[in-house]
Amino acid sequence: RLRHFRAKRKNSKTWEHGADPLFKRIPKWPAAHKHMTRKTLEPLNLAKLRMFIEKGRIDTRFTITQRHLYDSRCVSKIKKGVSLFNVNDFPFPYKIDIEVAGADQSSIDMIKAVGGTVTIVYMEPVTLRAHIKPWKYEVLPRTARPTLKMVHMMEKMKARGAIVRYIKPLWLIEEERRLQTELRELRGEEGHIVAERIARANEKVY
């Protein structure tokens, strides 16, 4: 029988006479494992949301939050948040105000076309769990400030046309104040002098 396997796997570089090959004995590198096991947002199709609205399981008179989506079983589980997506720019006929963790450009455009709004809310896993199941907490956790990566993501959603809601980090508040001050100085009478000073400072940096 061994000769049979040897003859069958004669040119195989991973054949080790019945033992597990080397690539199966060694675990995968950490980055690949993290990439495969990372948690992503729960996708929600606008067609499914439309079906639940037509069945009467979601009320469009009020703002639809992620807790409403979970309670109506429109989304079976929520770990990191809910993300809206739309296939082939399918039209959405209902005017709704919805709060989710992410949305693509087509979903935002279709909801805004009928007068609705899409609000992107930043929540950490603990805050999101308290939002979905508040009865499990005696004291509700406070909302944390987002990281730099999440700030970039929220600003990207804002550029798509959605409303974003998150607590701005201190460094972002200071940067906005600095830019507003520079804009006021540029609009003043000595704007050209301020512009030259900013240009010289940028030249020194680079």
Side-chain angles (χ1 to χ4, degrees):
R1 188 176 179 182
L2 184 59
R3 290 179 181 177
H4 172 71
F5 277 108
R6 280 180 181 175
K8 194 173 182 180
R9 300 172 184 259
K10 184 177 180 181
N11 298 324
S12 177
K13 295 181 180 180
T14 60
W15 171 246
E16 297 186 11
H17 306 287
D20 288 336
L22 183 65
F23 71 90
K24 287 187 177 181
R25 294 199 302 267
I26 298 176
K28 295 183 179 180
W29 49 297
H33 178 71
K34 290 180 180 179
H35 179 76
M36 291 186 295
T37 58
R38 68 179 180 179
K39 296 178 181 178
T40 56
L41 299 177
E42 302 295 333
L44 175 61
N45 195 341
L46 276 184
K48 184 177 181 180
L49 180 62
R50 176 180 178 177
M51 181 187 69
F52 272 71
I53 292 173
E54 291 173 351
K55 286 184 176 180
R57 299 176 67 174
I58 295 178
D59 194 352
T60 59
R61 296 176 298 172
F62 309 100
T63 302
I64 302 172
T65 62
Q66 298 183 75
R67 182 181 176 184
H68 296 150
L69 297 174
Y70 180 78
D71 291 342
S72 64
R73 308 311 294 171
C74 187
V75 180
S76 59
K77 61 178 181 178
I78 302 177
K79 295 295 183 181
K80 299 282 287 184
V82 179
S83 177
L84 291 177
F85 74 96
N86 192 19
V87 180
N88 297 330
D89 295 335
F90 196 77
F92 190 78
Y94 299 102
K95 179 183 176 182
I96 60 172
D97 299 325
I98 187 168
E99 295 181 358
V100 288
D104 63 350
Q105 188 66 60
S106 178
S107 301
I108 297 172
D109 293 342
M110 292 301 108
I111 292 177
K112 290 180 67 176
V114 293
T117 58
V118 179
T119 306
I120 308 298
V121 183
Y122 172 75
M123 290 185 185
E124 281 193 333
V126 177
T127 312
L128 180 61
R129 188 169 185 267
H131 169 69
I132 297 171
K133 302 176 181 179
W135 61 87
K136 290 194 174 184
Y137 294 83
E138 294 183 359
V139 179
L140 295 178
R142 300 175 66 180
T143 304
R145 298 180 187 270
T147 59
L148 179 61
K149 182 179 178 181
M150 294 306 300
V151 169
H152 289 168
M153 193 275 288
M154 300 295 284
E155 293 302 321
K156 185 190 295 184
M157 293 295 171
K158 186 176 180 181
R160 290 180 180 178
I163 304 171
V164 297
R165 192 170 75 233
Y166 64 97
I167 300 177
K168 292 184 178 180
L170 297 178
W171 60 266
L172 182 59
I173 296 173
E174 293 175 358
E175 186 68 16
E176 289 180 349
R177 288 176 181 172
R178 185 182 67 80
L179 292 175
Q180 290 174 0
T181 304
E182 290 182 358
L183 286 174
R184 283 195 298 268
E185 291 176 353
L186 288 172
R187 291 171 182 170
E189 298 179 355
E190 300 179 352
H192 62 282
I193 301 175
V194 178
E196 291 177 0
R197 177 170 55 82
I198 295 172
R200 292 196 196 100
N202 292 336
E203 289 177 358
K204 291 180 181 179
V205 171
Y206 293 105

